[in-house]
PDB file of all heavy atoms in Angstrom:
ATOM      1  N   ALA A 423      44.922 109.806  99.458  1.00 98.00           N
ATOM      2  CA  ALA A 423      44.155 111.020  99.758  1.00 98.00           C
ATOM      3  C   ALA A 423      42.817 110.939  99.022  1.00 98.00           C
ATOM      4  O   ALA A 423      42.686 111.366  97.868  1.00 98.00           O
ATOM      5  CB  ALA A 423      44.946 112.251  99.346  1.00 98.00           C
ATOM      6  N   GLY A 424      41.845 110.334  99.662  1.00 98.00           N
ATOM      7  CA  GLY A 424      40.514 110.170  99.073  1.00 98.00           C
ATOM      8  C   GLY A 424      40.513 109.136  97.963  1.00 98.00           C
ATOM      9  O   GLY A 424      41.556 108.570  97.598  1.00 98.00           O
ATOM     10  N   GLY A 425      39.311 108.902  97.429  1.00 98.00           N
ATOM     11  CA  GLY A 425      39.187 108.000  96.278  1.00 98.00           C
ATOM     12  C   GLY A 425      39.916 108.593  95.075  1.00 98.00           C
ATOM     13  O   GLY A 425      40.486 107.869  94.257  1.00 98.00           O
ATOM     14  N   THR A 426      39.940 109.921  95.000  1.00 98.00           N
ATOM     15  CA  THR A 426      40.632 110.567  93.877  1.00 98.00           C
ATOM     16  C   THR A 426      42.112 110.189  93.871  1.00 98.00           C
ATOM     17  O   THR A 426      42.682 109.886  92.820  1.00 98.00           O
ATOM     18  CB  THR A 426      40.515 112.110  93.994  1.00 98.00           C
ATOM     19  OG1 THR A 426      39.140 112.440  94.156  1.00 98.00           O
ATOM     20  CG2 THR A 426      41.079 112.802  92.775  1.00 98.00           C
ATOM     21  N   GLY A 427      42.718 110.188  95.062  1.00 98.00           N
ATOM     22  CA  GLY A 427      44.128 109.808  95.161  1.00 98.00           C
ATOM     23  C   GLY A 427      44.341 108.383  94.692  1.00 98.00           C
ATOM     24  O   GLY A 427      45.347 108.063  94.046  1.00 98.00           O
ATOM     25  N   VAL A 429      42.381 106.717  92.529  1.00 98.00           N
ATOM     26  CA  VAL A 429      42.167 106.663  91.072  1.00 98.00           C
ATOM     27  C   VAL A 429      43.441 107.126  90.366  1.00 98.00           C
ATOM     28  O   VAL A 429      43.938 106.488  89.439  1.00 98.00           O
ATOM     29  CB  VAL A 429      40.958 107.565  90.678  1.00 98.00           C
ATOM     30  CG1 VAL A 429      40.921 107.811  89.179  1.00 98.00           C
ATOM     31  CG2 VAL A 429      39.649 106.934  91.154  1.00 98.00           C
ATOM     32  N   TRP A 452      32.698 109.951  85.435  1.00 96.00           N
ATOM     33  CA  TRP A 452      33.094 111.020  86.364  1.00 96.00           C
ATOM     34  C   TRP A 452      34.154 111.846  85.634  1.00 96.00           C
ATOM     35  O   TRP A 452      35.160 111.273  85.188  1.00 96.00           O
ATOM     36  CB  TRP A 452      33.649 110.371  87.629  1.00 96.00           C
ATOM     37  CG  TRP A 452      34.049 111.303  88.713  1.00 96.00           C
ATOM     38  CD1 TRP A 452      33.328 112.329  89.230  1.00 96.00           C
ATOM     39  CD2 TRP A 452      35.282 111.252  89.447  1.00 96.00           C
ATOM     40  NE1 TRP A 452      34.023 112.927  90.237  1.00 96.00           N
ATOM     41  CE2 TRP A 452      35.220 112.294  90.395  1.00 96.00           C
ATOM     42  CE3 TRP A 452      36.419 110.447  89.407  1.00 96.00           C
ATOM     43  CZ2 TRP A 452      36.251 112.549  91.294  1.00 96.00           C
ATOM     44  CZ3 TRP A 452      37.440 110.691  90.300  1.00 96.00           C
ATOM     45  CH2 TRP A 452      37.365 111.728  91.232  1.00 96.00           C
ATOM     46  N   HIS A 455      38.050 111.350  85.698  1.00 98.00           N
ATOM     47  CA  HIS A 455      38.777 110.227  85.072  1.00 98.00           C
ATOM     48  C   HIS A 455      39.539 110.748  83.858  1.00 98.00           C
ATOM     49  O   HIS A 455      40.748 110.577  83.736  1.00 98.00           O
ATOM     50  CB  HIS A 455      37.804 109.115  84.638  1.00 98.00           C
ATOM     51  CG  HIS A 455      37.253 108.326  85.787  1.00 98.00           C
ATOM     52  ND1 HIS A 455      36.006 107.764  85.772  1.00 98.00           N
ATOM     53  CD2 HIS A 455      37.782 108.008  86.991  1.00 98.00           C
ATOM     54  CE1 HIS A 455      35.788 107.134  86.919  1.00 98.00           C
ATOM     55  NE2 HIS A 455      36.849 107.268  87.671  1.00 98.00           N
ATOM     56  N   HIS A 500      32.865 101.423  87.184  1.00 98.00           N
ATOM     57  CA  HIS A 500      32.349 101.960  88.446  1.00 98.00           C
ATOM     58  C   HIS A 500      31.766 100.772  89.215  1.00 98.00           C
ATOM     59  O   HIS A 500      30.835 100.125  88.719  1.00 98.00           O
ATOM     60  CB  HIS A 500      31.262 102.999  88.194  1.00 98.00           C
ATOM     61  CG  HIS A 500      31.736 104.206  87.418  1.00 98.00           C
ATOM     62  ND1 HIS A 500      31.357 105.490  87.736  1.00 98.00           N
ATOM     63  CD2 HIS A 500      32.571 104.317  86.350  1.00 98.00           C
ATOM     64  CE1 HIS A 500      31.929 106.341  86.890  1.00 98.00           C
ATOM     65  NE2 HIS A 500      32.664 105.648  86.038  1.00 98.00           N
ATOM     66  N   ASN A 505      28.522 107.047  88.350  1.00 97.00           N
ATOM     67  CA  ASN A 505      28.466 108.504  88.321  1.00 97.00           C
ATOM     68  C   ASN A 505      28.890 108.977  86.929  1.00 97.00           C
ATOM     69  O   ASN A 505      29.998 108.690  86.526  1.00 97.00           O
ATOM     70  CB  ASN A 505      29.429 109.072  89.376  1.00 97.00           C
ATOM     71  CG  ASN A 505      29.427 110.597  89.407  1.00 97.00           C
ATOM     72  OD1 ASN A 505      28.621 111.248  88.755  1.00 97.00           O
ATOM     73  ND2 ASN A 505      30.339 111.171  90.175  1.00 97.00           N
ATOM     74  N   ASP A 533      36.549 101.655  90.239  1.00 98.00           N
ATOM     75  CA  ASP A 533      36.383 102.875  91.018  1.00 98.00           C
ATOM     76  C   ASP A 533      35.180 102.644  91.941  1.00 98.00           C
ATOM     77  O   ASP A 533      34.040 102.504  91.474  1.00 98.00           O
ATOM     78  CB  ASP A 533      36.142 104.056  90.069  1.00 98.00           C
ATOM     79  CG  ASP A 533      36.095 105.370  90.810  1.00 98.00           C
ATOM     80  OD1 ASP A 533      36.001 105.353  92.050  1.00 98.00           O
ATOM     81  OD2 ASP A 533      36.139 106.428  90.151  1.00 98.00           O
ATOM     82  N   ALA A 535      33.470 104.275  94.806  1.00 98.00           N
ATOM     83  CA  ALA A 535      33.310 105.467  95.650  1.00 98.00           C
ATOM     84  C   ALA A 535      31.997 105.477  96.434  1.00 98.00           C
ATOM     85  O   ALA A 535      31.799 106.344  97.274  1.00 98.00           O
ATOM     86  CB  ALA A 535      33.406 106.720  94.788  1.00 98.00           C
ATOM     87  N   TYR A 536      31.112 104.511  96.162  1.00 98.00           N
ATOM     88  CA  TYR A 536      29.762 104.609  96.750  1.00 98.00           C
ATOM     89  C   TYR A 536      29.295 103.318  97.428  1.00 98.00           C
ATOM     90  O   TYR A 536      28.092 103.021  97.431  1.00 98.00           O
ATOM     91  CB  TYR A 536      28.759 105.040  95.658  1.00 98.00           C
ATOM     92  CG  TYR A 536      29.088 106.406  95.111  1.00 98.00           C
ATOM     93  CD1 TYR A 536      29.862 106.557  93.962  1.00 98.00           C
ATOM     94  CD2 TYR A 536      28.668 107.560  95.778  1.00 98.00           C
ATOM     95  CE1 TYR A 536      30.205 107.819  93.484  1.00 98.00           C
ATOM     96  CE2 TYR A 536      29.001 108.824  95.299  1.00 98.00           C
ATOM     97  CZ  TYR A 536      29.761 108.941  94.159  1.00 98.00           C
ATOM     98  OH  TYR A 536      30.100 110.195  93.700  1.00 98.00           O
ATOM     99  N   SER A 565      36.860 104.555  98.444  1.00 98.00           N
ATOM    100  CA  SER A 565      36.723 105.885  99.060  1.00 98.00           C
ATOM    101  C   SER A 565      35.836 105.786 100.299  1.00 98.00           C
ATOM    102  O   SER A 565      34.846 105.068 100.300  1.00 98.00           O
ATOM    103  CB  SER A 565      36.066 106.835  98.060  1.00 98.00           C
ATOM    104  OG  SER A 565      35.682 108.033  98.706  1.00 98.00           O
ATOM    105  N   SER A 567      34.778 108.744 101.550  1.00 98.00           N
ATOM    106  CA  SER A 567      34.198 110.094 101.586  1.00 98.00           C
ATOM    107  C   SER A 567      32.689 110.057 101.757  1.00 98.00           C
ATOM    108  O   SER A 567      32.128 110.766 102.592  1.00 98.00           O
ATOM    109  CB  SER A 567      34.526 110.841 100.285  1.00 98.00           C
ATOM    110  OG  SER A 567      35.918 110.905 100.120  1.00 98.00           O
ATOM    111  N   LYS A 568      32.027 109.205 100.962  1.00 98.00           N
ATOM    112  CA  LYS A 568      30.557 109.220 100.960  1.00 98.00           C
ATOM    113  C   LYS A 568      29.994 108.331 102.053  1.00 98.00           C
ATOM    114  O   LYS A 568      29.119 108.757 102.803  1.00 98.00           O
ATOM    115  CB  LYS A 568      29.999 108.753  99.612  1.00 98.00           C
ATOM    116  CG  LYS A 568      30.779 109.193  98.403  1.00 98.00           C
ATOM    117  CD  LYS A 568      30.518 110.619  98.002  1.00 98.00           C
ATOM    118  CE  LYS A 568      31.696 111.139  97.209  1.00 98.00           C
ATOM    119  NZ  LYS A 568      31.441 111.942  96.082  1.00 98.00           N
ATOM    120  N   TYR A 573      34.094 113.541 103.716  1.00 97.00           N
ATOM    121  CA  TYR A 573      34.583 114.083 102.446  1.00 97.00           C
ATOM    122  C   TYR A 573      35.914 114.826 102.580  1.00 97.00           C
ATOM    123  O   TYR A 573      36.853 114.587 101.839  1.00 97.00           O
ATOM    124  CB  TYR A 573      33.548 115.055 101.866  1.00 97.00           C
ATOM    125  CG  TYR A 573      32.176 114.434 101.687  1.00 97.00           C
ATOM    126  CD1 TYR A 573      31.277 114.345 102.753  1.00 97.00           C
ATOM    127  CD2 TYR A 573      31.778 113.950 100.455  1.00 97.00           C
ATOM    128  CE1 TYR A 573      30.034 113.784 102.592  1.00 97.00           C
ATOM    129  CE2 TYR A 573      30.518 113.397 100.274  1.00 97.00           C
ATOM    130  CZ  TYR A 573      29.659 113.307 101.358  1.00 97.00           C
ATOM    131  OH  TYR A 573      28.423 112.746 101.191  1.00 97.00           O
ATOM    132  N   ARG A 576      39.753 113.292 103.355  1.00 98.00           N
ATOM    133  CA  ARG A 576      40.545 112.688 102.285  1.00 98.00           C
ATOM    134  C   ARG A 576      41.005 111.283 102.655  1.00 98.00           C
ATOM    135  O   ARG A 576      42.186 111.026 102.894  1.00 98.00           O
ATOM    136  CB  ARG A 576      41.738 113.592 101.907  1.00 98.00           C
ATOM    137  CG  ARG A 576      41.390 115.039 101.680  1.00 98.00           C
ATOM    138  CD  ARG A 576      40.186 115.241 100.772  1.00 98.00           C
ATOM    139  NE  ARG A 576      40.347 114.669  99.446  1.00 98.00           N
ATOM    140  CZ  ARG A 576      39.388 113.973  98.842  1.00 98.00           C
ATOM    141  NH1 ARG A 576      38.208 113.757  99.421  1.00 98.00           N
ATOM    142  NH2 ARG A 576      39.576 113.500  97.649  1.00 98.00           N
ATOM    143  N   THR A 577      40.044 110.402 102.717  1.00 98.00           N
ATOM    144  CA  THR A 577      40.300 109.031 103.135  1.00 98.00           C
ATOM    145  C   THR A 577      39.921 108.051 102.031  1.00 98.00           C
ATOM    146  O   THR A 577      38.739 107.850 101.748  1.00 98.00           O
ATOM    147  CB  THR A 577      39.492 108.722 104.424  1.00 98.00           C
ATOM    148  OG1 THR A 577      39.695 109.798 105.339  1.00 98.00           O
ATOM    149  CG2 THR A 577      39.911 107.419 105.050  1.00 98.00           C
ATOM    150  N   PHE A 670      23.039 109.667  92.074  1.00 97.00           N
ATOM    151  CA  PHE A 670      22.881 110.363  90.796  1.00 97.00           C
ATOM    152  C   PHE A 670      21.972 109.655  89.807  1.00 97.00           C
ATOM    153  O   PHE A 670      21.873 108.433  89.797  1.00 97.00           O
ATOM    154  CB  PHE A 670      24.252 110.549  90.138  1.00 97.00           C
ATOM    155  CG  PHE A 670      25.245 111.219  91.042  1.00 97.00           C
ATOM    156  CD1 PHE A 670      26.431 110.584  91.373  1.00 97.00           C
ATOM    157  CD2 PHE A 670      24.985 112.468  91.574  1.00 97.00           C
ATOM    158  CE1 PHE A 670      27.346 111.198  92.219  1.00 97.00           C
ATOM    159  CE2 PHE A 670      25.887 113.088  92.417  1.00 97.00           C
ATOM    160  CZ  PHE A 670      27.074 112.454  92.748  1.00 97.00           C
TER     161      PHE A 670
HETATM  162  C1  PLP B1032      33.092 108.004  90.515  1.00 61.54           C
HETATM  163  C2  PLP B1032      33.893 108.691  91.577  1.00 61.54           C
HETATM  164  N1  PLP B1032      35.119 108.247  91.847  1.00 61.54           N
HETATM  165  C3  PLP B1032      35.879 108.796  92.790  1.00 61.54           C
HETATM  166  C4  PLP B1032      35.431 109.864  93.528  1.00 61.54           C
HETATM  167  C5  PLP B1032      36.382 110.421  94.547  1.00 61.54           C
HETATM  168  O1  PLP B1032      35.901 110.777  95.753  1.00 61.54           O
HETATM  169  P1  PLP B1032      36.828 111.319  96.912  1.00 61.54           P
HETATM  170  O2  PLP B1032      38.152 111.691  96.328  1.00 61.54           O
HETATM  171  O3  PLP B1032      36.117 112.484  97.460  1.00 61.54           O
HETATM  172  O4  PLP B1032      36.967 110.205  97.881  1.00 61.54           O
HETATM  173  C6  PLP B1032      34.159 110.390  93.283  1.00 61.54           C
HETATM  174  C7  PLP B1032      33.660 111.551  94.007  1.00 61.54           C
HETATM  175  O5  PLP B1032      32.804 112.262  93.621  1.00 61.54           O
HETATM  176  C8  PLP B1032      33.367 109.766  92.277  1.00 61.54           C
HETATM  177  O6  PLP B1032      32.132 110.184  92.002  1.00 61.54           O
END
Side-chain angles (χ1 to χ4, degrees):
T426 308
V429 166
W452 183 49
H455 287 149
H500 298 222
N505 180 8
D533 185 347
Y536 298 94
S565 168
S567 302
K568 323 281 157 139
Y573 304 83
R576 311 312 301 136
T577 312
F670 306 121

